Amino acid sequence: MPIFDLAVTPLRDLNQTLHDIVQGDNDLQFEVVNPRGHHAVAAGVHAPVSIDIRGSVGYYCGGMNEEAVITVHGSAGPGVGENMMSGRIIVKGDASQYAGATGCGGLLVIEGNASSRCGISMKGIDIVVRGNIGHMSAFMAQAGNLVVLGDAGEALGDSLYEARIFVRGKVQSLGADCIEKEMRPEHVELLGRLLKKAGVTDARPEEFSRYGSARKLYSFHVDNADAY
C-alpha cells in the first residue's frame, strides 16, 4: 500500500499519482499521513481506489470525486466533497461550511457537525450528518438527500427545489419556500436505506421529520414577491 507523507512529499505528487491510475493497476489502497491542513487533498480522483487520510485537511478535500472511497481521520475545511460525482467520502470529525456543495452523486458522511450551507446547490448527492448543521443548509438544493441526526440552523432549505431533507432534531427556522412534509412509507424506506449505507445503527427513520419545497418559487409570481 503506497503511503504519502505530506510533510516531505509535495501534495502535487500525491494528486498526480491518483490522477494517473488506470484500469488494471494493482495499487488501489493509499494512505496519506501528515496532511497538515493542506487544500485539495485527493481532489479530482476518478478511479475506484481507497484513500485513508490520517489527519485534518483544508479546503476542497475530495472535490470532484468519482468512484473513490476517501476517509478523513480528522476534520475537513470548507467544501469537502464539492461537486463530487460518485464514490464515498467519510469525515470522522467535523466539516466546515458548504460541505458537499453542488454534489451530483455519491455519498458524503460527516460523523461530527457540519457548518453553514451544508449541501448548498446539491444536485443528486446524498449527505448524512451525524451531528448538527449550520444556517442556510441545502440552499437552492436541486436533487438528492440531506439527512441530519442532530439539529439544523436558520433558513434550512431556503429556495429549495426537489432535494429531500430529513432532520431528527430541532430546526431553528425554515427558509423561503421550504415546508415540513408528510413522512410517507416510501420516505421511511428511502431513509432507512440511506442510514444503513452510512453505517448509522443508532437512529430509526420514524424519528425524523421530512422537509421539502412548497413549489411556489419555481417561477416568479408577483403574489409571492415577499418570499424572494
Side-chain angles (χ1 to χ4, degrees):
M1 178 177 65
I3 300 176
F4 285 80
D5 186 345
L6 295 187
V8 296
T9 302
L11 174 63
R12 183 182 296 272
D13 290 359
L14 166 65
N15 283 342
Q16 190 63 60
T17 299
L18 295 172
H19 295 168
D20 289 342
I21 295 171
V22 296
Q23 187 174 3
D25 283 353
N26 292 324
D27 290 329
L28 298 179
Q29 291 185 309
F30 294 82
E31 186 169 1
V32 180
V33 298
N34 293 316
R36 302 186 300 170
H38 273 300
H39 304 315
V41 177
V45 181
H46 52 85
V49 298
S50 175
I51 305 166
D52 282 284
I53 304 170
R54 305 291 178 180
S56 296
V57 293
Y59 287 77
Y60 301 118
C61 175
M64 301 177 290
N65 184 54
E66 289 188 65
E67 300 190 77
V69 176
I70 301 171
T71 304
V72 179
H73 298 270
S75 294
V80 60
E82 184 266 345
N83 201 37
M84 69 181 288
M85 307 300 289
S86 61
R88 185 177 304 187
I89 299 176
I90 303 99
V91 179
K92 294 292 186 179
D94 298 323
S96 189
Q97 55 190 343
Y98 45 91
T102 73
C104 295
L107 173 66
L108 171 62
V109 179
I110 299 167
E111 297 193 353
N113 302 307
S115 186
S116 61
R117 300 174 179 85
C118 178
I120 182 173
S121 194
M122 52 193 281
K123 297 176 173 66
I125 188 174
D126 292 323
I127 302 174
V128 178
V129 181
R130 283 183 170 270
N132 305 320
I133 58 173
H135 66 269
M136 293 292 289
S137 290
F139 172 61
M140 293 188 70
Q142 297 169 36
N145 300 283
L146 173 60
V147 180
V148 183
L149 276 71
D151 300 331
E154 296 177 336
L156 176 69
D158 190 88
S159 302
L160 188 69
Y161 285 83
E162 289 303 306
R164 291 173 290 265
I165 305 172
F166 302 95
V167 181
R168 185 170 67 163
K170 297 178 180 179
V171 175
Q172 192 164 350
S173 67
L174 297 176
D177 211 38
C178 182
I179 59 174
E180 184 172 355
K181 293 191 169 184
E182 179 187 2
M183 192 76 167
R184 298 196 298 269
E186 63 265 31
H187 303 119
V188 172
E189 182 180 354
L190 168 65
L191 182 53
R193 291 198 303 267
L194 289 171
L195 292 172
K196 182 178 180 180
K197 190 175 179 181
V200 176
T201 59
D202 55 350
R204 296 183 297 107
E206 294 81 5
E207 299 171 349
F208 290 76
S209 298
R210 180 173 73 100
Y211 302 88
S213 174
R215 301 189 176 98
K216 292 182 179 180
L217 301 185
Y218 279 18
S219 301
F220 179 81
H221 192 286
V222 68
D223 292 341
N224 299 322
D226 290 341
Y228 287 88

